[in-house]
Amino acid sequence: MRYLRSGPRRLHTQEIGGPRAKTVGLRSGEIADRNIRVILEAIRRHGPLTRMELGRYCGLTGPGITNILRRLAEEKLVTSNRRTGPGGGATATEFALRPEGAFSIGVKLRQRRGEAVLIDLSGQVHDRVYIELDSGDKVGLLHASVRDMVDRHTTLPIIGLGIAANDWTEDQSDQIAAMSTIARPYVENECTASLLAERTIGSSGREGGLAMIIIDDDVQAGFLIRGIPYSGVHGRAGSIGEMLTGPDNVQLNTVVGFESLRSRIGDEAFTRLLQGEEFSSPSLSQWIREAAGHLLDPIIAMAGFLAPSVVMIGSDLPQGVIGALIHQLSIERRDTSTRPLLTPWISPMKPASFSGGGVALGAALLPFLNTLLLPPASA
């Protein structure tokens, strides 16, 4: 099976909010590549669609749409059926996404643990494994997990590997490429991957801004501005864990990060939380209150400077804990005993659409966004 574009890349600087390079024209092959992506993206988002409906969505001519649909059918990425009319009779032919036409693996990497998922073209998860990592052999353990997943699904057309990590290097990508039968991985930081998952297959609308806070070993934030992830200079936008917060003026990571939670509730209870178990305890409730009191400071800053339409919070913690944290944040924002002003203008807060903030899902979308679907700057 051949695909529309080959060769891994990060999102270009103009796609993630950096300085825009000199504008250049598109060659004929690049125009064809973009038109195919436009059609496939329209079918993925709005399908099934007829040729006439595709013309309204995409602005392309009938013959051009027909040629593109023929190619997508040959690639087994779309399927066609006769649409049933109001009276029960068949009308025009409609085209729908064929999710099993392409698969991708995405990996989220932290210092000591990781998560790998296998998704189809619609974003549906078909396999998920959790990885215990050793900083001395992170590449080897990652390769073994990806190889095992590929071996379990040898009949599927797996087109690529995406990695979401904040400390991944080009040398490590070279090592994985040398070991693996999958092409060189696409790499993004964790918050960008999370935002791509929300934007592409999550509940977030495409208009307006979105702020995503990821609570893990540290606390990070990512920003989606007009549908494009913003990473800042050297990808450092959103390093909110280093902020001094709260009335005691302490670093956010030391109060909200996982090490703080572990030390407060104990190793056994912390492990149960990461396994998805919902429970309550006085020590967990105390952590939620302290975390909300300190997390509100960067949220106020985001609301004041960026005014996102929503602030999402994602984590490997259970949904009940995230929900309790958001509820406590709503209490904190009305408390004038520690802050002199009410903050009714803060953006609405809600949990991320996916477990873990969707970081592994966003990583798995990277090969699709680089080969088949429209990247953020184009959609």
Side-chain angles (χ1 to χ4, degrees), residues 217 219 241 250-257 259-261 263 287 294:
D217 297 332
V219 187
V250 298
Q251 195 177 68
L252 188 64
N253 282 335
T254 64
V255 181
V256 184
E259 195 55 43
S260 169
L261 176 58
S263 64
W287 177 83
H294 289 79

Side-chain angles (χ1 to χ4, degrees), residues 116-329:
V117 297
L118 174 71
I119 68 170
D120 63 26
L121 193 52
S122 70
Q124 179 69 35
V125 175
H126 290 256
D127 196 358
R128 186 191 305 267
V129 296
Y130 295 95
I131 313 166
E132 293 294 329
L133 295 174
D134 177 354
S135 58
D137 189 27
K138 184 179 290 188
V139 173
L141 293 170
L142 169 61
H143 171 254
S145 297
V146 171
R147 181 194 60 211
D148 291 345
M149 185 171 284
V150 171
D151 289 344
R152 287 195 299 273
H153 304 279
T154 54
T155 62
L156 300 183
I158 300 175
I159 70 168
L161 168 65
I163 295 175
N166 294 336
D167 57 356
W168 191 259
T169 67
E170 290 294 321
D171 286 344
Q172 288 172 314
S173 288
D174 291 339
Q175 295 174 47
I176 284 290
M179 295 177 180
S180 177
T181 56
I182 299 179
R184 181 185 176 85
Y186 303 88
V187 182
E188 278 296 350
N189 66 51
E190 294 173 42
C191 276
T192 298
S194 175
L195 290 166
L196 289 174
E198 284 291 343
R199 179 194 169 279
T200 307
I201 56 177
S203 61
S204 173
R206 299 173 63 194
E207 301 301 325
L210 163 67
M212 174 69 73
I213 296 174
I214 301 292
I215 298 175
D216 208 287
D217 297 332
D218 54 5
V219 187
Q220 312 164 52
F223 310 102
L224 195 69
I225 302 175
R226 294 183 179 178
I228 302 174
Y230 179 79
S231 298
V233 178
H234 306 305
R236 287 189 56 80
S239 301
I240 62 173
E242 300 171 12
M243 291 179 61
L244 300 180
T245 59
D248 47 357
N249 203 38
V250 298
Q251 195 177 68
L252 188 64
N253 282 335
T254 64
V255 181
V256 184
F258 276 0
E259 195 55 43
S260 169
L261 176 58
R262 185 200 300 269
S263 64
R264 183 171 290 279
I265 67 175
D267 290 344
E268 181 181 350
F270 180 74
T271 300
R272 288 165 57 198
L273 281 180
L274 289 191
Q275 291 173 346
E277 183 177 342
E278 299 270 8
F279 64 87
S280 60
S281 70
S283 56
L284 177 58
S285 298
Q286 181 63 27
W287 177 83
I288 289 172
R289 288 192 292 271
E290 292 187 4
H294 289 79
L295 196 56
L296 189 59
D297 284 348
I299 290 176
I300 290 173
M302 292 177 201
F305 283 101
L306 297 176
S309 58
V310 64
V311 175
M312 288 185 157
I313 299 179
S315 178
D316 285 329
L317 297 174
Q319 285 295 306
V321 176
I322 299 300
L325 178 60
I326 291 173
H327 175 70
Q328 186 63 35
L329 281 164

Side-chain angles (χ1 to χ4, degrees), residues 25-182:
L26 296 177
R27 294 184 291 272
S28 59
E30 293 171 327
I31 294 173
D33 176 88
R34 174 179 167 77
N35 287 342
I36 293 171
R37 290 172 182 243
V38 167
I39 292 288
L40 189 59
E41 180 74 2
I43 293 173
R44 188 188 69 82
R45 284 187 178 274
H46 310 291
L49 298 174
T50 65
R51 288 182 178 85
M52 185 176 296
E53 290 166 342
L54 279 167
R56 289 198 295 267
Y57 275 110
C58 305
L60 300 176
T61 64
I65 291 173
T66 297
N67 290 334
I68 291 172
L69 289 172
R70 183 184 301 114
R71 178 171 175 181
L72 290 174
E74 291 172 354
E75 301 282 358
K76 299 182 179 179
L77 297 174
V78 299
T79 184
S80 61
N81 292 287
R82 296 292 289 179
R83 178 177 291 180
T84 302
T91 57
T93 301
E94 62 182 13
F95 298 85
L97 185 73
R98 187 173 178 270
E100 65 272 25
F103 289 79
S104 173
I105 295 175
V107 182
K108 176 181 75 172
L109 294 179
R110 300 297 298 178
Q111 288 298 319
R112 296 182 295 272
R113 55 195 168 81
E115 176 188 0
V117 297
L118 174 71
I119 68 170
D120 63 26
L121 193 52
S122 70
Q124 179 69 35
V125 175
H126 290 256
D127 196 358
R128 186 191 305 267
V129 296
Y130 295 95
I131 313 166
E132 293 294 329
L133 295 174
D134 177 354
S135 58
D137 189 27
K138 184 179 290 188
V139 173
L141 293 170
L142 169 61
H143 171 254
S145 297
V146 171
R147 181 194 60 211
D148 291 345
M149 185 171 284
V150 171
D151 289 344
R152 287 195 299 273
H153 304 279
T154 54
T155 62
L156 300 183
I158 300 175
I159 70 168
L161 168 65
I163 295 175
N166 294 336
D167 57 356
W168 191 259
T169 67
E170 290 294 321
D171 286 344
Q172 288 172 314
S173 288
D174 291 339
Q175 295 174 47
I176 284 290
M179 295 177 180
S180 177
T181 56
I182 299 179

